[in-house]
């Protein structure tokens, strides 16, 4: 799989098989985050893996799933078996502006996951306070995002956007469709 193919194949997945993801698989993704582009090369992020069954169960209620779908939250038996918490180290980046760095790191992890036939869901809608407590995150670290990692138990595909409608939807075959704007729409040329 080349990079272009991984970019096209990578989709947000919200139903997972129950295969346990081991730490070595997550460490391989984190190693790709390690090599990402970072502002001023500060590399201010830390990564906390979550694979323990008990802990995985405790994380789930503090993640919000698929705002555009009526029934987008995975049920028991469809939930992720592993997560990576992306943390910003305030002792390294004093202005605590971690969002773009985290985006670069997560993109590397998601593309490598795609190549390894793993599926991901990136979470911004999370209860950071509760999760920091559950994960016992130390005071100098800020929880930026959570990335769910697992094996896909649903299909997702891109489709052309109509009438500017950004809402992803489930089609009659149970395939998630994610509308993307056209190249013509997003390129500004004179
Ligand atoms: C910053 C950010 C935050 C996101 N937060 C959530 C979230 O809290 N819950 C969720 O189900 N999906 C979340 N997503 C996934 C997006 O909904 C998804 O990327 C988008 O619908 C496009 O689908 P695609 O990733 O398959 O291209 C987030 C994505 C990004 C980039």
């Amino acid at each position: 799989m080349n990079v272009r193919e991984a970019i096209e194949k990578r989709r947000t997945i919200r139903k997972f098989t129950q295969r346990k993801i081991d730490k070595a698989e997550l460490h391989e993704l984190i190693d790709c985050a390690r090599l990402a582009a970072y502002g001023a090369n500060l590399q201010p992020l830390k990564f906390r893996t979550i694979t323990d069954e008990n802990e995985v169960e405790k994380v789930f209620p503090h993640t919000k799933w698929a705002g555009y779908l009526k029934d987008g939250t995975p049920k028991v038996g469809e939930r992720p078996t592993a997560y990576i918490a992306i943390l910003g180290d305030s002792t390294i980046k004093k202005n605590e502006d971690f969002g773009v760095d985290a985006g670069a790191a997560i993109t590397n992890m998601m593309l490598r996951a795609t190549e390894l036939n793993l599926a991901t869901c990136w979470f911004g809608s999370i209860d950071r306070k509760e999760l920091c407590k559950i994960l016992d995150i130390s005071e100098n670290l800020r929880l930026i995002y959570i990335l769910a990692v697992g094996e896909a138990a649903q299909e997702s595909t891109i489709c052309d956007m109509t009438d500017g409608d950004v809402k992803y939807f489930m089609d009659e075959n149970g395939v998630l469709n994610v509308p993307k704007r056209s190249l013509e729409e997003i390129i500004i040329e004179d």
Side-chain angles (χ1 to χ4, degrees), residues 10-12 14 64-66 121-125 145 168 178 180:
R10 181 213 62 81
R11 296 271 65 80
T12 294
R14 299 186 181 86
K64 281 217 183 85
W65 295 73
C121 185
W122 174 344
F123 286 95
S125 229
Y145 292 116
Y168 45 81
V178 183
K180 297 291 182 187

Side-chain angles (χ1 to χ4, degrees), residues 86-105:
I86 294 90
L87 306 159
D89 188 333
S90 61
T91 66
I92 297 179
K93 196 166 191 182
K94 307 287 181 208
N95 69 7
E96 301 197 11
D97 187 3
F98 297 113
V100 175
D101 293 316

